[in-house]
Amino acid sequence: MRLSIALLSIAVLLTPTAATADTVEPPPPAVRDFGNGPERNEVAADVPDQSAALRVPAEEPYFHDQDRGYPRQNQLPIPAENPADASIKLGLVPYHGIAPRLNDLQRRSKRVSAEIIGRSYQGHDLYLVTVTAPESRDEAREQSRIRDRVQHDPAAARDRGLPRRYKAPLFVNNNIHGNEWEGTDAALRVIEELATSTDPKVADLLKRTRLYFNVTANPDGRVNGVRVNGAGFDLNRDFVTASQPEVRAMRQVMIDTQPVTMIDLHGYVNGTLIEPTTPPHGANYEYDLFIKNTYANGLGMEAAIKALGHTPEADGVFPPQIPFRDSAEGWDDWPPIFSPQYAPFHGAVASHTVEIPLRVNGSDYTNLPVEELRRRSGINTAIAAAAIRATYGFVQARHDQLITDQIEVFRRGAAGEPSRTVPLGIVPGFGPEDVYNTAFPRAYVIPAGGGQRSATAAARLVDHLIANDVEVGRAKRSFRAGGRTYPAGSYVVDMRQAKRGLANVMLEAGADISPRVDAMYDISGWSHALLWGATVDAVTSLLAFQTAPVKTAAPTGSVPRGHGPLALKVTDAKEVMALNALLAQGVAVTWTDGGTALIPATARQTALVLSDRYGVAFTPAHTPAGTSAGSATGRPLSQVRITAAASADELFTLRELGFPVTPISTATLNGGFDWSTTDVLFVSSGLSYAALNPTAKAALDTFLTSGGVVTRGSTGAAFNTAAGLLTATSVAGRGDANGVARVVSAGGPVGGGSPAYSFVYSPRWFTGLGPEVTVEQAYAAEGPLVAGHWRPNPDGTGGQDAARGQAAVVSGRDERGAAVVLFGTEPLFRNHPKGLFPQVARALYWSASVRGAAVTTP
């Protein structure tokens, strides 16, 4: 289920014995419940250190031979039996039971191929099953050639025989939220039906389609009975960030299979929720092609589910609902962070979330009798299977048209056509409120020679674009675009390419959609161009020049020749990683308030290795004019040990940056905690100073006489006030406000060198600042929202206008000596805003080092 910034309103589920025709009422539309507020600040994550997992090499491509015929049968390794698997209680297939079933089906049927496409965060194999009629190697090679033509050959649109020769790909994604189990079981049921059927219609289907099933997208969560994967991430928020291995595997499946249709099976909304969505609609889709197909398949799934005969009176199951048709707003397809909203950029012209009806997770899993849980999961499995069958029937019936529409999506991109305005009434109910468009630039240029932060960040962004199958070129010589000259080596994303929608949704600034809707499902702004630290220019004209296709970004690391000390300015996440690696090896580093680490000459060899590993540039530890850096002052910096009451994404990001982090919560401290190995306390979730017992409070107060503190959000602000740290009043913006905001940074130890944009999610600002407080960053006087959704509360408070010019990040030292930084922004949110990570690192370095006396640099 798509849990939004707050929880969705779900109808109370009625058992058959309790339901009567007189008492059963239809459920309310699936909309967000603002009263519950955001969940990020409520529970401190306790995720084990993933440093070992982060050292695992990147996933190898699973389609080693794209032209290999079918079946591609593999004997899957059998996991150890796990009697604690949460699926067992529901009467569903436990994770350890999936591979044996797939091995048996491969033995019994030449229609079934099972492959391992990666591993989850906790090391579970991820299974992709392909169901299709057998193909020789030559036939498979021909399918690959056609698939490439569909994407890259403009003449494919004129080849009327092509759709008849091509097997339409369908992708069924299951169990991306671990405690929404039944999609997996429905997929296994349908796979077996297709594998063993003697129906001529099935034989015809498999001759003309390939059906791809991601059997369980989140085996960690399936086994553990939780929504998230082993790292604590909601995988269905990660698609344009791709921080998690499971998402990278799904991304590669979509790239390699290029599905014309996909469905993602979730739970639980009663009656079954079937997309398409309410507005706002993503502006970078070819929405005329998308809505006609998605709505048609939605109606087909609705009919198939109704045909099962479940009723509110007999089963507690309400009729299906289609948000586009049945709701005004609150279930949108604006951000490309969800799998069905990401798939269209790889050619899916029908794409759906399907929310099956009867809840079996949460308190129901704990409190309901096993018999009732299994009744519900049985109904859910039947409904999910009906949705799959309806969808493959839809693909079979519209086979040629779906392929033709996918060709048209890619053709428009390659031709550089303007964003098309969808005709009103294209499907019943499509009105002016559904029309969203964007303006595609001629190209995006990521300049070379824009400073080291730009170079390192540019390389990261370019590699990310390429991993998403966006075409990037590198200029062989200087060139002019958009009225300016760019140096050789600059990267160019030519927007006349098949997947220009995906390129644009990542690289454009986005839009402030606050005026158009009151309720959004999740985030509304995410721009990689503004949040990932690179310089990205949109240009409207592009003169002819030569570029070389880029497979991977050019190296950016360097160490100057010589024998003297080195400097590393921390303005990028990669520089944070390199510095933390130096500190972990015991290198004697000096930290300056200008955000530069000074490294002794004895560490030059280590710096050389790290410059290559992280792509960072060390410089001589003196000014360009030759003045010795020894006149600058700084403080000794050793490895910064963090104790964190934080959300899972923050723990992940801090550890990814190389900080050793110990998770805590109020309960942890009340049980007794040794502060002797802590340099900085990070507080954002699950820690209440007021709820500490006297012993825990005394121990924490002792730490605060010398330790550092960095906080974020409402929990962090409340901790600051309760602990008596900085004199600052925290003011809350509207709870569901989020997006990319324009900011102005001061030259302090935290704000100095920060980007001109930040990310907000339930934004805060600080007023009533005491004399000990320094404003490190403030919201801009204009806007400040660039892209996203930020309205005032009903009483007029908490809006953008109230935040203008207000302090967003502050620092200071309290009367006990604690060095404190308070964030009202969200610089680590879901591991996404890479360009903001160094701001948090500088806060941690400053907070940890400011206790020392000033020293002369090496």
Side-chain angles (χ1 to χ4, degrees):
M1 179 182 189
R2 278 183 173 188
L3 282 176
S4 62
I5 294 176
L7 301 175
L8 291 173
S9 298
I10 305 297
V12 175
L13 299 175
L14 300 173
T15 64
T17 56
T20 69
D22 294 329
T23 60
V24 175
E25 295 182 359
V31 295
R32 186 169 48 195
D33 177 2
F34 291 103
N36 287 320
E39 75 281 358
R40 275 172 60 77
N41 301 316
E42 295 170 0
V43 179
D46 187 16
V47 179
D49 188 350
Q50 73 271 24
S51 56
L54 292 171
R55 290 194 292 270
V56 175
E59 299 82 8
E60 295 182 6
Y62 58 92
F63 287 154
H64 297 288
D65 184 355
Q66 288 287 325
D67 298 334
R68 181 182 169 195
Y70 282 98
R72 300 175 178 179
Q73 295 181 326
N74 303 279
Q75 184 71 19
L76 302 175
I78 308 300
E81 185 172 338
N82 179 5
D85 189 305
S87 310
I88 296 172
K89 183 177 181 179
L90 301 174
L92 302 173
V93 179
Y95 173 76
H96 59 260
I98 295 173
R101 288 200 177 198
L102 297 179
N103 285 338
D104 178 61
L105 283 170
Q106 289 184 103
R107 180 184 58 80
R108 292 162 54 197
S109 174
K110 293 184 181 299
R111 295 171 171 176
V112 178
S113 303
E115 303 171 80
I116 295 172
I117 56 173
R119 288 180 176 82
S120 71
Y121 178 85
Q122 291 183 336
H124 295 102
D125 289 338
L126 303 171
Y127 307 125
L128 180 73
V129 173
T130 306
V131 183
T132 194
E135 299 172 20
S136 68
R137 184 177 182 85
D138 285 346
E139 289 170 331
R141 183 182 293 115
E142 175 65 5
Q143 290 299 306
S144 295
R145 188 185 70 81
I146 296 174
R147 183 173 56 249
D148 184 72
R149 284 194 66 202
V150 166
Q151 180 177 346
H152 294 110
D153 182 4
R158 300 189 296 273
D159 185 348
R160 295 186 178 182
L162 184 151
R164 294 194 299 273
R165 302 193 303 272
Y166 186 43
K167 285 187 168 183
L170 163 63
F171 180 42
V172 181
N173 204 44
N174 306 286
N175 199 200
I176 194 170
H177 292 146
N179 61 355
E180 298 166 14
W181 290 271
E182 293 92 342
T184 293
D185 297 79
L188 291 170
R189 179 180 297 180
V190 172
I191 290 167
E192 183 163 9
E193 291 170 358
L194 295 172
T196 59
S197 175
T198 59
D199 187 338
K201 291 183 179 179
V202 170
D204 178 70
L205 168 75
L206 299 182
K207 286 180 182 178
R208 305 184 71 218
T209 62
R210 286 182 185 169
L211 293 86
Y212 299 98
F213 296 85
N214 188 17
V215 180
T216 170
N218 184 2
D220 297 354
R222 184 176 186 83
V223 170
N224 300 328
V226 295
R227 177 184 180 87
V228 295
N229 75 338
F233 271 70
D234 184 333
L235 300 178
N236 208 35
R237 302 293 186 275
D238 193 41
F239 275 87
V240 290
T241 307
S243 69
Q244 300 304 298
E246 300 93 336
V247 171
R248 293 191 290 273
M250 285 181 270
R251 176 181 69 186
Q252 197 60 46
V253 168
M254 293 186 209
I255 291 171
D256 291 341
T257 65
Q258 204 167 291
V260 295
T261 301
M262 77 89 66
I263 61 172
D264 199 336
L265 293 166
H266 289 251
Y268 302 93
V269 176
N270 192 6
T272 300
L273 184 147
I274 304 168
E275 291 181 347
T277 73
T278 68
H281 302 301
N284 285 284
Y285 304 127
E286 302 300 330
Y287 214 79
D288 58 329
L289 304 175
F290 179 82
I291 189 61
K292 70 171 186 178
N293 291 306
T294 303
Y295 191 51
N297 191 40
L299 293 173
M301 285 190 278
E302 178 184 46
I305 292 168
K306 283 183 174 181
L308 296 175
H310 298 121
T311 66
E313 296 79 11
D315 311 292
V317 176
F318 288 92
Q321 56 184 304
I322 297 176
F324 170 78
R325 180 191 66 197
D326 301 329
S327 300
E329 60 180 39
W331 193 285
D332 58 86
D333 57 9
W334 181 254
I337 59 176
F338 313 112
S339 60
Q341 279 63 54
Y342 178 76
F345 295 116
H346 295 294
V349 291
S351 192
H352 310 258
T353 294
V354 177
E355 300 274 357
I356 53 182
L358 299 180
R359 196 174 75 171
V360 294
N361 60 10
S363 60
D364 290 316
Y365 183 92
T366 303
N367 298 327
L368 288 178
V370 170
E371 181 181 0
E372 170 61 12
L373 289 172
R374 293 187 174 188
R375 183 192 73 83
R376 292 182 179 191
S377 65
I379 291 173
N380 287 336
T381 302
I383 288 174
I388 298 173
R389 295 188 201 101
T391 299
Y392 73 60
F394 168 79
V395 174
Q396 187 173 21
R398 289 205 180 194
H399 177 277
D400 290 8
Q401 187 59 56
L402 292 171
I403 294 169
T404 298
D405 287 345
Q406 185 180 80
I407 292 170
E408 177 64 6
V409 168
F410 294 141
R411 188 204 65 78
R412 291 178 188 179
E417 292 188 0
S419 174
R420 293 200 181 185
T421 299
V422 182
L424 302 184
I426 187 172
V427 297
F430 194 95
E433 71 280 3
D434 292 299
V435 177
Y436 286 81
N437 290 93
T438 192
F440 296 110
R442 177 62 183 84
Y444 287 98
V445 180
I446 305 172
Q452 180 56 28
R453 178 176 71 179
S454 292
T456 306
R460 176 178 53 244
L461 180 57
V462 165
D463 285 340
H464 184 71
L465 291 168
I466 293 168
N468 281 274
D469 204 32
V470 172
E471 296 171 4
V472 182
R474 195 162 190 239
K476 293 183 177 181
R477 58 181 61 90
S478 62
F479 65 97
R480 287 189 62 78
R484 61 170 288 190
T485 300
Y486 290 93
S490 295
Y491 296 102
V492 180
V493 181
D494 190 332
M495 291 297 286
R496 292 181 181 172
Q497 62 172 288
K499 295 186 178 178
R500 58 102 180 258
L502 184 52
N504 206 56
V505 84
M506 290 184 177
L507 296 179
E508 70 175 350
D512 179 356
I513 56 171
S514 308
R516 294 200 62 176
V517 293
D518 185 61
M520 290 294 294
Y521 194 90
D522 202 273
I523 64 166
S524 311
W526 54 85
S527 174
H528 297 63
L530 300 184
L531 295 176
W532 277 41
T535 299
V536 181
D537 295 335
V539 297
T540 56
S541 62
L542 192 66
L543 299 179
F545 64 98
Q546 285 189 319
T547 62
V550 178
K551 299 297 184 184
T552 186
T556 55
S558 64
V559 174
R561 294 183 178 182
H563 304 284
L566 300 170
L568 181 65
K569 188 151 183 79
V570 177
T571 58
D572 187 83
K574 295 288 189 179
E575 289 150 358
V576 178
M577 295 177 185
L579 177 53
N580 281 337
L582 288 167
L583 295 171
Q585 296 182 46
V587 174
V589 171
T590 298
W591 180 253
T592 73
D593 283 351
T596 297
L598 304 174
I599 296 106
T602 53
R604 271 184 162 267
Q605 187 58 42
T606 303
L608 189 64
V609 172
L610 296 177
S611 71
D612 180 64
R613 180 185 303 168
Y614 296 111
V616 301
F618 292 85
T619 59
H622 56 74
T623 65
T627 303
S628 171
S631 59
T633 59
R635 292 172 294 277
L637 181 66
S638 56
Q639 188 176 43
V640 178
R641 301 163 299 178
I642 302 170
T643 291
S647 58
D649 55 342
E650 290 169 321
L651 286 182
F652 180 93
T653 303
L654 290 170
R655 287 167 169 165
E656 182 183 57
L657 292 172
F659 291 103
V661 185
T662 301
I664 61 160
S665 64
T666 303
T668 306
L669 298 189
N670 282 337
F673 185 77
D674 180 7
W675 288 97
S676 64
T677 58
T678 300
D679 299 306
V680 180
L681 171 63
F682 186 97
V683 181
S684 65
S685 301
L687 178 58
S688 169
Y689 183 87
L692 296 175
N693 62 39
T695 302
K697 193 174 292 186
L700 175 56
D701 287 342
T702 299
F703 166 77
L704 293 175
T705 62
S706 59
V709 178
V710 175
T711 81
R712 189 271 306 162
S714 60
T715 296
F719 179 86
N720 174 72
T721 300
L725 300 176
L726 299 186
T727 306
T729 299
S730 172
V731 181
R734 177 164 145 165
D736 67 332
N738 69 88
V740 182
R742 188 177 289 107
V743 291
V744 178
S745 298
V750 177
S754 296
Y757 303 93
S758 192
F759 185 81
V760 296
Y761 181 99
S762 300
R764 290 187 170 263
W765 52 93
F766 304 99
T767 62
L769 304 179
E772 81 280 16
V773 178
T774 297
V775 176
E776 297 280 352
Q777 190 174 79
Y779 294 111
E782 295 183 5
L785 195 68
V786 176
H789 187 266
W790 187 350
R791 283 188 169 190
N793 294 310
D795 65 1
T797 64
Q800 297 184 51
D801 56 343
R804 291 170 185 157
Q806 299 291 344
V809 182
V810 299
S811 68
R813 300 191 68 176
D814 79 343
E815 60 184 13
R816 288 167 291 194
V820 181
V821 180
L822 311 179
F823 282 90
T825 57
E826 279 273 3
L828 303 181
F829 186 81
R830 296 178 183 167
N831 195 242
H832 181 69
K834 313 290 187 184
L836 309 183
F837 295 175
Q839 187 182 30
V840 177
R842 290 194 299 271
L844 294 165
Y845 294 143
W846 173 78
S847 189
S849 68
V850 75
R851 296 168 291 165
V855 295
T856 302
T857 59

